[in-house]
Amino acid sequence: MDSTPAETPRMLPHTWDEARALAYALPEALPAHPVPLAEAMGRILLGDLQALNPMPHYASSAMDGWAVAGSPPWIFAQEGRRLVAGQAIPIVTGGLIPAGAKAVLRSESGQVKNDDDGLPVLVLGSESRPGEPKNGQHIRPVAQEAALAEVLIKSGTTLNPAHISLAALGGSDELHVLGKPMVKLVLTGDEVIASGIPEPGAVRDAFSPLLPAVVTLLGGQVVGLERANDTLESVLAALEESPDNPADVLITTGATGNSSADFLRRAIAAMGGTIHINSIAMRPGHPTLLAELPDGRFLVGLPGNPLAAMVALLSVAAPLLAKLGSAPMPGTFEVPCGTPIKEFQGPTRLMPYRLVYGLASPCAHTDSAMMRGLAAADGIMVVPPHGAKMGETLTAFALPWK
């Protein structure tokens, strides 16, 4: 696909549909690779996982008690010897069944007494059940759960903690999984404070509590978070690749405009990057960027206002991360509009909505700098410039936490 140099980006903004499609089409899916079991949670398995050993791989006791051969009373055999009829040996849950043993007698069902010669013998106790122990009772046979090479987990499964444990029991130390995009976050803005009540002219950081969680829900893994001052040197330093935490995607906040305090576009040009999306004909989130750096990393530049940034993240970063992670394009669906929406010349509007009696009604408090409306929303609907009539069907997409 032809790209546009950073110095002369496409001047006309992309439509919302074009931007989503381009963000999904640009990257190649990351290659699959093995990861240790401890890092496999939430990853997608590539290839069926087979048992590398029978499960269990030896006959074991399901109870604390005694391994026995023949009928009672039983004398105690020497450990490590094959049992013959009339012999027993103590055993614990999970213990190796000795050769010759035919059953396990539960500790509650046996009793050790002395015989006429004063030697200890094992007999059935008062709590034993009729016919106990039956042949094979309380013995977990080899391959009871799975035979050697039996498929334990199907290819394409999203791995949960139980899958990880199953893989370990099946003898695996690592799992072959699809690639997962590593993401570094770069937050800009001299006016941003990390905690406390901001003074007039300062604003509270809305992104560091938000973006790592949402990026994770979108299939990425955050490997770094760095703050940059409003200088070209600081932005360039923050965008540098980290050898300790290499990233496939940079997601930045703020500095996407063209003011004297916005250095992201100049930083991309200085690094020799290519801007694929210079802006999007949508509100909020118009000054959203998608660029590619010479080292192969993608950069998603989010506007500095919280709602605008979230709309941009879900419109551009979501399809980009999906493609890198071998996932399908994030889907859309249709909702009936719950109230007339006036014409708005120019851009498409992305409006958080709530479902009221099955109709999608725009939320209040949805200025680009606000988060209250999004916090209460059931989804985001895509409203064309000509507006919408009540009951008209509109395209919508889900919030990743819903």
Side-chain angles (χ1 to χ4, degrees):
M1 177 178 296
D2 290 336
S3 59
T4 309
E7 293 81 357
T8 56
R10 164 176 161 166
M11 298 308 296
L12 290 175
H14 288 78
T15 68
W16 180 75
D17 286 313
E18 287 174 341
R20 289 183 79 239
L22 183 57
Y24 192 77
L26 276 173
E28 297 289 337
L30 294 170
H33 58 100
V35 297
L37 295 184
E39 299 175 15
M41 172 65 186
R43 303 294 291 267
I44 299 174
L45 183 69
L46 180 65
D48 293 345
L49 180 73
Q50 297 179 328
L52 302 181
N53 52 249
M55 299 171 56
H57 60 285
Y58 64 92
S60 63
S61 176
M63 296 283 177
D64 292 338
W66 299 268
V68 299
S71 302
W74 299 277
I75 63 173
F76 290 100
Q78 185 177 351
E79 189 172 349
R81 295 285 186 88
R82 181 183 182 87
L83 299 187
V84 298
Q87 289 186 325
I89 192 170
I91 197 167
V92 295
T93 302
L96 175 66
I97 298 295
K102 303 300 181 185
V104 170
L105 180 70
R106 299 178 305 149
S107 56
E108 305 95 299
S109 299
Q111 185 177 2
V112 178
K113 292 186 174 182
N114 291 330
D115 63 8
D116 293 340
D117 297 323
L119 298 175
V121 295
L122 176 65
V123 297
L124 294 175
S126 59
E127 295 186 22
S128 63
R129 297 165 184 168
E132 189 177 6
K134 298 176 181 177
N135 193 34
Q137 191 170 16
H138 304 314
I139 291 178
R140 295 171 178 153
V142 172
Q144 182 183 38
E145 185 172 5
L148 175 66
E150 185 174 341
V151 173
L152 301 178
I153 310 173
K154 292 281 191 182
S155 179
T157 299
T158 300
L159 298 166
N160 62 36
H163 291 131
I164 308 303
S165 177
L166 177 61
L169 290 171
S172 294
D173 297 321
E174 59 184 22
L175 294 171
H176 206 65
V177 296
L178 296 180
K180 185 172 189 175
M182 303 293 111
V183 178
K184 179 181 176 181
L185 304 175
V186 177
L187 313 183
T188 71
D190 290 341
E191 76 282 9
V192 179
I193 66 169
S195 61
I197 307 299
E199 298 289 339
V203 295
R204 180 68 184 265
D205 171 19
F207 293 122
S208 60
L210 171 72
L211 289 179
V214 180
V215 167
T216 299
L217 291 172
L218 295 177
Q221 181 173 330
V222 175
V223 295
L225 188 154
E226 191 167 344
R227 299 180 186 277
N229 296 326
D230 290 333
T231 66
L232 180 58
E233 294 75 18
S234 182
V235 172
L236 283 170
L239 297 181
E240 286 183 1
E241 185 167 18
S242 169
D244 296 329
N245 293 304
D248 305 295
V249 178
L250 294 162
I251 296 180
T252 67
T253 63
T256 59
N258 292 291
S259 77
S260 60
D262 294 329
F263 292 96
L264 184 59
R265 296 169 191 270
R266 277 177 272 177
I268 294 169
M271 297 174 76
T274 299
I275 293 180
H276 295 292
I277 295 175
N278 184 52
S279 62
I280 304 174
M282 66 179 185
R283 290 288 188 274
H286 169 73
T288 298
L289 298 178
L290 176 59
E292 190 173 356
L293 300 178
D295 57 19
R297 290 179 297 162
F298 287 92
L299 185 152
V300 179
L302 307 180
N305 284 319
L307 181 58
M310 281 302 301
V311 167
L313 185 75
L314 300 178
S315 298
V316 175
L320 180 76
L321 295 175
K323 180 63 171 293
L324 289 168
S326 299
M329 175 73 157
T332 61
F333 50 90
E334 294 184 340
V335 292
C337 186
T339 186
I341 300 176
K342 292 181 180 180
E343 178 182 2
F344 188 82
Q345 289 295 330
T348 297
R349 282 170 289 172
L350 284 296
M351 304 181 71
Y353 70 84
R354 293 201 67 182
L355 284 174
V356 181
Y357 301 113
L359 300 175
S361 295
C363 294
H365 308 293
T366 55
D367 181 90
S368 63
M370 298 178 179
M371 285 297 285
R372 188 174 173 183
L374 186 65
D378 294 312
I380 296 179
M381 57 185 177
V382 183
V383 182
H386 61 258
K389 299 177 181 178
M390 183 169 181
E392 182 179 342
T393 298
L394 295 175
T395 297
F397 56 93
L399 299 170
W401 53 86
K402 284 289 187 178

